[in-house]
């Protein structure tokens, strides 16, 4: 059975749904467009990649969907194409090269005609292009004209040892600069992580001390409340006892005065 373009998978899927066949065809078309030199105003590839994502979501939602490793490979290629388009929108060539390094191309060819995955070829091409742009920015040359001149020189007379040494030295310089930039970024991220860890530990220690102080204050407040309650009861009892004794004392004094008055009234006439 001869494999048609985009109609048969490299994994040997014999019976595929119409949606999957359309996805494979569109994926092959996107890979071919990504490998070609495109104008900056080209908009079809971005629209196609968006359609690929929608088709992939619909394929995952089907009842008779492909195997999980096939879906993962589709997702890997679609994410690669989307990341490649986002990297192309960056302004600096160093940022493009850094973003390109984090892209993961497909591992398996999309069709049986491919020996190497097309996304892997596109990944290598974009890496070489961004490296050339970085070298052009470093040396102050035009990146759009220099590759064509180099290709013409190589095809006409072949590379000379001097040119090879110079290109190797320039490439090493660009790679060294890129590596230094990565090391600097790694050191800054490590310093930020250490600072964040130190601040987190300090905040944790302060919060722990505050919690201990708050717990001690709550405990002391509970103890003071219990003592206040006990003293209030004792004061109430003491107040009641004092009132009772004072009442009895006043009654005794009143009775004594009353009896004294009666005795005085009775004794006074007899004296007269």
């Amino acid at each position: 059975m001869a494999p048609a373009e985009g109609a048969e998978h490299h994994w040997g899927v014999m019976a595929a749904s119409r949606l999957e066949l359309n996805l494979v065809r569109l994926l092959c078309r996107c890979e071919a467009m990504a490998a070609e030199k495109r104008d900056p105003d080209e908009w079809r590839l971005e629209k196609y990649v968006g359609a690929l994502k929608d088709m992939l979501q619909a394929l995952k939602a089907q009842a008779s969907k492909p195997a999980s490793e096939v879906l993962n490979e589709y997702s890997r290629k679609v994410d690669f194409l989307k990341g490649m388009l986002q990297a192309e929108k960056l302004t600096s060539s160093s940022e493009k090269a850094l973003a390109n390094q984090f892209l993961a191309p497909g591992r398996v060819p999309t069709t049986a005609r491919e020996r190497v995955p097309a996304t892997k070829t596109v990944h290598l091409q974009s890496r070489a292009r961004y490296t050339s742009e970085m070298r052009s920015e470093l040396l102050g040359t035009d990146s759009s004209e220099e590759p064509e001149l180099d290709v013409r020189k190589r095809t006409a007379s072949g590379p000379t040892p001097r040119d090879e040494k110079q290109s190797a030295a320039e490439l090493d310089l660009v790679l060294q600069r890129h590596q230094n930039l990565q090391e600097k970024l790694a050191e800054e991220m490590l310093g930020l992580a250490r600072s964040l860890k130190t601040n987190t530990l300090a905040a944790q220690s302060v919060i722990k001390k505050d919690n201990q102080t708050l717990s001690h204050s709550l405990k002391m407040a509970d103890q003071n409340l219990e003592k206040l309650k006990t003293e209030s009861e004792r004061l109430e009892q003491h107040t009641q006892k004092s009132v009772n004794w004072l009442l009895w004392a006043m009654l005794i004094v009143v009775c004594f005065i009353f009896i004294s008055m009666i005795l005085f009234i009775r004794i006074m006439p007899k004296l007269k």
Side-chain angles (χ1 to χ4, degrees), residues 88-150:
E88 290 179 352
K89 295 179 181 179
L90 298 175
T91 57
S92 175
S93 58
S94 59
E95 294 178 354
K96 293 180 181 180
L98 184 60
N100 185 72
Q101 284 188 354
F102 291 102
L103 297 178
R107 300 174 180 174
V108 182
T110 307
T111 61
R113 293 182 179 181
E114 299 177 0
R115 294 184 178 180
V116 180
T119 52
K120 191 172 184 180
T121 304
V122 173
H123 191 217
L124 295 175
Q125 290 176 353
S126 59
R127 180 186 298 178
R129 183 171 66 253
Y130 296 147
T131 303
S132 177
E133 290 179 1
M134 290 175 61
R135 183 179 63 181
S136 300
E137 289 181 0
L138 182 62
L139 299 178
T141 57
D142 190 359
S143 60
S144 61
E145 297 180 357
E146 184 179 0
E148 296 181 359
L149 293 176
D150 291 341

Side-chain angles (χ1 to χ4, degrees), residues 2 13 20 23 59 62 72 88 104 125 146 149-150 155 168 176 193 197 212 217 227-228 246 262 267:
V13 179
E20 186 179 0
L23 186 144
L59 184 62
Q62 281 187 348
N72 292 335
E88 290 179 352
Q125 290 176 353
E146 184 179 0
L149 293 176
D150 291 341
T155 53
Q176 184 66 31
K197 183 179 180 181
Q212 292 177 355
S217 300
K227 290 181 179 180
L228 181 61
L246 182 61
I262 293 174
I267 292 172

